[in-house]
Amino acid sequence: MASVRICVCGDLEVGKSSIITSLVKDVFVTTKIQPVLPQITIPPSIGTPENVTTTIVDTSALPQERANLNKEIRKSNIILLVYSDHYSYERVGLFWMPHFRSLGVNVPVVLCSNKSDLAANGNTAQVVDDEMLPLMAEFKEIDSCIRTSAKEHHNINEVFFLCQKAVTHPIAPLYDSKESNLKPVAVSALQRVFYLCDRDQDGYLSDKEIHDFQIKCFGKPLGSDDLDNIKQAIQKYSPEAVTEQGIDERGFVLLNKLFAEKGRHETVWIILRTFNYTDSLSLRDNFLNPRFDVPQHSSAELSPAGYRFFVDLFLLFDKDNDGGLNDSELSALFSPTPGLPPSWVDSSFPSSTVRNEAGHITLQGWLAQWSMTTFTEPRTTLAYLAYLGFEPPDPRSTITAALKFTKARKRRKRPGRVERNVVLAYILGAPGSGKSSLLDAFLSRPFSETYHPTIKPRTAVNSVELPGGKQCYLILEELGELEPAILENKTKLDACDMLVYTYDSSDPNSFSHISSLRSKHPHLDDLPALYVALKADNDKTTQRSEVQPDEYATMLGMNKPLHVSVTWQSISELFVQIAEAAMRPSTAFPKSEEEGIDRTNLYIALGAVICAGAAFVAIWRRVGRAE
């Protein structure tokens, strides 16, 4: 909120201009003042909430000034409506409030009963009960009410503070005055705050957790008696909400409801804004979607801090310590989010990754799933890190500290290892060649004889231990009926690290699909590839192809197809080879002709020798002259 614009309205002679003058001069001006004061601007340095600039606009109730009045009302974001006697009070409900509605403005109204110094106006309690509360019940636009006296300088500063607060800390998004309850969207936001502050996820805010919450939101600890007073206030309305363990979620929401009802809704707003909520009670867009542009030829991966966060989250919600997250534990974990990421739902999570015997996702599968999500859609990972409360190790950093970029992979044919921990391989092959069974074997699922054709793309992700003990995450994707479209999509192919051509070694018509595919899409030669003969436990048959698979691979200068079966224990070695080839892409390229030797290292070494020799000669000559 950059500024607050207050439009001061009311009948003639109710004291609008006197209130403004009393604020500016700090005393009551007895001399006659002009009917309508010029616009006044109060800079943010003069004790305004949220450091906003405040503009106060005086208006006239004369009929001939109605057009200017309407213009100022439309420009304002808060209306101060002043009355001072029975006649001007009646006009509030009969003219002013209906007039604001007729203009189609949706701004809060602060109702001000001026000239409280006059004995005829009664005491404050009587005015509140007889005048203000009935109007507030009838017109929900009225945010708050106050009695003032410009003559006695009573509540003058306070009335404009109320106006500022009605804009900077509006009650309308939080509280439904007709229902006398917090609005559902406010309850949801506060429940997320409770979730994030309940560090041990035991369902209670302990004294330590409340202390940390207080420091985070308000920058100062609670006083010695403050916590006891808070608990007593909650217990007065809900005794079971406070136990020896602390304050439960109902008690926390109730406490904020009491703040709203007692006019302390700025406290609720301080809490919500600390946890990155906007005035509409949605999370700030730059918090959910921070700038994170993955450079060309690079990919996104979880950083050590990101992996640590997801490990801690898994262990925290695995309440039964069985090594897996069941449905209720997953539901509790994702409670402060919109639910599972849409891509997880599309991939039939958790069937896309590693599960235990009970069908619950394991820690290995949990980390693999987030590794895949970060690789394919890093913005989704960032949004869920925000929802779930990731806090970067360095307070000056943002949630992007949970992710990192890999080194750009520009030339795949250059010898060496790519610096990636997550790689993607497309599994290509004719229908029925065994691709789906291969993905099942990758996730240690039992083999099924039943054939189910793959319609939409299917993914599987798991960790693979490479030679030397290094671990990486391998994503295998079967393209289904979208195979032709994906193989023509340059962006999709750029993201792919490896092609795995599969065929059924017992089906004579299976291999021809591969040769046809490569002929139809010659640009696939730009990607590293591996050839795999599946169903090797069946009798091998001659392929109805111009060239047999072994000879076809030899002609390309590549290794012959690997003969494997998903029913063999050794199938795991295939996944290691796929991952290793993706990590060393130069070893898995078709070589259609003799490639030149890469002499880059030779040239570098030769240059170093020449430089060293030149330096030696120069030193030798200098020494010779000295002698």
Side-chain angles (χ1 to χ4, degrees):
M1 181 61 63
S3 63
V4 174
R5 189 178 181 86
I6 306 171
C7 182
V8 185
C9 301
D11 287 346
L12 298 173
E13 306 297 330
V14 294
K16 302 187 297 295
S17 301
S18 295
I19 291 175
I20 298 172
T21 305
S22 184
L23 173 74
V24 175
K25 301 291 186 180
D26 210 29
V27 293
F28 179 63
V29 178
T30 56
T31 57
K32 187 174 182 179
I33 56 179
Q34 60 195 92
V36 179
L37 297 175
Q39 177 178 302
I40 295 170
T41 299
I42 302 175
S45 58
I46 306 182
T48 58
E50 302 291 309
N51 291 320
V52 296
T53 299
T54 304
T55 302
I56 303 172
V57 180
D58 194 10
T59 62
S60 172
L62 293 172
Q64 59 267 31
E65 295 292 331
R66 190 62 47 82
N68 186 62
L69 170 68
N70 294 345
K71 182 182 73 172
E72 292 298 341
I73 289 173
R74 289 192 175 100
K75 288 168 63 177
S76 68
N77 47 20
I78 177 72
I79 296 172
L80 175 59
L81 180 55
V82 184
Y83 73 91
S84 62
D85 53 26
H86 182 73
Y87 174 76
S88 56
Y89 164 76
E90 291 292 335
R91 290 257 299 165
V92 170
L94 294 175
F95 170 74
W96 286 105
M97 294 305 299
H99 182 66
F100 298 153
R101 289 181 173 180
S102 71
L103 295 176
V105 295
N106 183 26
V107 296
V109 176
V110 172
L111 187 61
C112 173
S113 174
N114 195 28
K115 302 185 182 181
S116 62
D117 54 287
L118 299 178
N121 284 343
N123 60 52
T124 299
Q126 179 185 353
V127 170
V128 169
D129 291 340
D130 297 345
E131 298 177 1
M132 294 178 172
L133 290 181
L135 283 172
M136 290 187 75
E138 183 178 356
F139 300 100
K140 66 179 181 63
E141 301 96 314
I142 299 178
D143 181 87
S144 55
C145 302
I146 189 171
R147 295 193 79 197
T148 62
S149 170
K151 185 175 183 180
E152 295 180 348
H153 199 72
H154 174 64
N155 280 345
I156 296 301
N157 291 342
E158 287 77 2
V159 69
F160 288 101
F161 178 78
L162 278 179
C163 291
Q164 292 169 332
K165 193 173 74 168
V167 177
T168 59
H169 303 96
I171 185 65
L174 300 177
Y175 191 76
D176 189 330
S177 56
K178 290 185 178 180
E179 298 290 335
S180 298
N181 213 340
L182 291 172
K183 292 186 175 179
V185 65
V187 172
S188 296
L190 290 168
Q191 286 172 336
R192 176 177 172 272
V193 172
F194 180 90
Y195 168 101
L196 297 178
C197 295
D198 182 14
R199 294 290 187 176
D200 56 7
Q201 289 299 316
D202 65 346
Y204 296 89
L205 292 184
S206 65
D207 291 357
K208 172 68 167 57
E209 289 168 338
I210 292 173
H211 172 80
D212 294 342
F213 164 78
Q214 174 75 15
I215 295 293
K216 180 181 179 70
C217 293
F218 304 100
K220 58 183 179 181
L222 286 170
S224 56
D225 298 327
D226 291 340
L227 183 55
D228 290 336
N229 293 336
I230 287 172
K231 291 181 178 180
Q232 289 172 9
I234 296 172
Q235 286 179 312
K236 182 179 178 181
Y237 297 93
S238 181
E240 68 281 0
V242 180
T243 69
E244 291 183 358
Q245 294 173 275
I247 300 171
D248 67 10
E249 183 184 276
R250 291 172 301 163
F252 180 74
V253 173
L254 173 61
L255 177 64
N256 284 275
K257 176 191 173 188
L258 296 176
F259 287 147
E261 289 177 336
K262 293 179 179 179
R264 292 181 55 192
H265 43 280
E266 69 271 17
T267 302
V268 184
W269 276 116
I270 290 172
I271 294 170
L272 293 174
R273 285 173 180 159
T274 299
F275 286 87
N276 298 288
Y277 283 93
T278 65
D279 288 351
S280 61
L281 293 182
S282 60
L283 288 169
R284 288 188 294 106
D285 185 65
N286 62 352
F287 173 66
L288 277 182
N289 303 296
R291 184 169 182 179
F292 190 82
D293 299 322
V294 181
Q296 190 177 12
H297 305 300
S298 296
S299 64
E301 295 180 0
L302 288 171
S303 68
Y307 276 116
R308 192 178 310 115
F309 174 77
F310 283 119
V311 168
D312 293 343
L313 203 62
F314 181 96
L315 298 176
L316 185 61
F317 281 89
D318 183 18
K319 297 298 184 182
D320 53 11
N321 294 316
D322 66 344
L325 295 180
N326 58 40
D327 290 346
S328 62
E329 290 168 342
L330 272 175
S331 177
L333 190 155
F334 281 101
S335 61
T337 75
L340 292 176
S343 59
W344 290 28
V345 176
D346 292 341
S347 64
S348 302
F349 173 85
S351 65
S352 57
T353 190
V354 185
R355 297 179 290 180
N356 59 20
E357 292 180 357
H360 305 149
I361 185 172
T362 63
L363 177 59
Q364 179 184 349
W366 173 252
L367 296 179
Q369 185 74 22
W370 279 114
S371 297
M372 178 173 68
T373 304
T374 305
F375 179 88
T376 56
E377 42 184 16
R379 293 188 181 279
T380 296
T381 299
L382 287 172
Y384 275 78
L385 285 164
Y387 286 127
L388 294 167
F390 171 77
E391 294 180 351
D394 185 350
R396 296 169 296 180
S397 302
T398 65
I399 57 173
T400 56
L403 272 60
K404 65 177 184 178
F405 299 127
T406 61
K407 187 176 180 180
R409 181 197 58 193
K410 295 181 180 179
R411 297 175 62 183
R412 302 190 198 221
K413 295 184 179 182
R414 174 177 290 177
R417 179 183 290 272
V418 296
E419 296 182 13
R420 295 191 172 197
N421 296 315
V422 183
V423 288
L424 167 65
Y426 287 158
I427 310 299
L428 308 178
S433 60
K435 301 186 296 296
S436 297
S437 295
L438 186 65
L439 265 62
D440 287 337
F442 184 47
L443 301 176
S444 301
R445 305 279 162 74
F447 172 68
S448 173
E449 295 281 358
T450 307
Y451 173 64
H452 298 285
T454 303
I455 307 301
K456 64 178 185 178
R458 180 192 168 198
T459 56
V461 59
N462 200 351
S463 58
V464 174
E465 186 173 331
L466 301 173
K470 183 179 179 180
Q471 187 184 70
C472 77
Y473 289 99
L474 174 62
I475 307 167
L476 300 182
E477 184 168 355
E478 181 186 1
L479 306 183
E481 294 184 351
L482 292 181
E483 182 180 276
I486 292 175
L487 295 182
E488 287 295 336
N489 187 318
K490 185 178 184 304
T491 303
K492 291 280 188 181
L493 291 179
D494 285 344
C496 177
D497 295 282
M498 188 76 187
L499 296 178
V500 180
Y501 295 108
T502 65
Y503 69 97
D504 178 357
S505 60
S506 64
D507 179 358
N509 299 312
S510 187
F511 187 77
S512 60
H513 179 85
I514 294 177
S515 55
S516 173
L517 197 68
R518 293 189 70 251
S519 298
K520 192 180 299 182
H521 305 283
H523 54 275
L524 296 183
D525 285 355
D526 295 332
L527 293 172
L530 197 65
Y531 290 82
V532 179
L534 295 172
K535 304 184 184 181
D537 53 327
N538 296 333
D539 292 337
K540 180 180 177 182
T541 186
T542 302
Q543 295 292 315
R544 295 192 181 111
S545 176
E546 293 183 5
V547 181
Q548 291 303 299
D550 287 6
E551 185 182 353
Y552 184 89
T554 303
M555 289 170 58
L556 292 174
M558 297 186 67
N559 293 329
K560 295 179 181 180
L562 300 168
H563 288 258
V564 298
S565 170
V566 297
T567 61
W568 294 348
Q569 291 293 327
S570 59
I571 187 66
S572 59
E573 295 299 321
L574 170 64
F575 307 123
V576 174
Q577 291 197 42
I578 294 174
E580 183 69 12
M583 289 290 189
R584 297 182 181 275
S586 63
T587 63
F589 268 100
K591 299 176 180 62
S592 57
E593 59 184 31
E594 190 67 28
E595 295 182 353
I597 300 172
D598 187 352
R599 294 187 172 87
T600 303
N601 293 333
L602 176 62
Y603 294 150
I604 293 173
L606 185 60
V609 170
I610 292 172
C611 290
F616 174 78
V617 170
I619 294 171
W620 180 78
R621 286 179 176 175
R622 186 174 298 174
V623 172
R625 288 172 184 170
E627 291 177 351

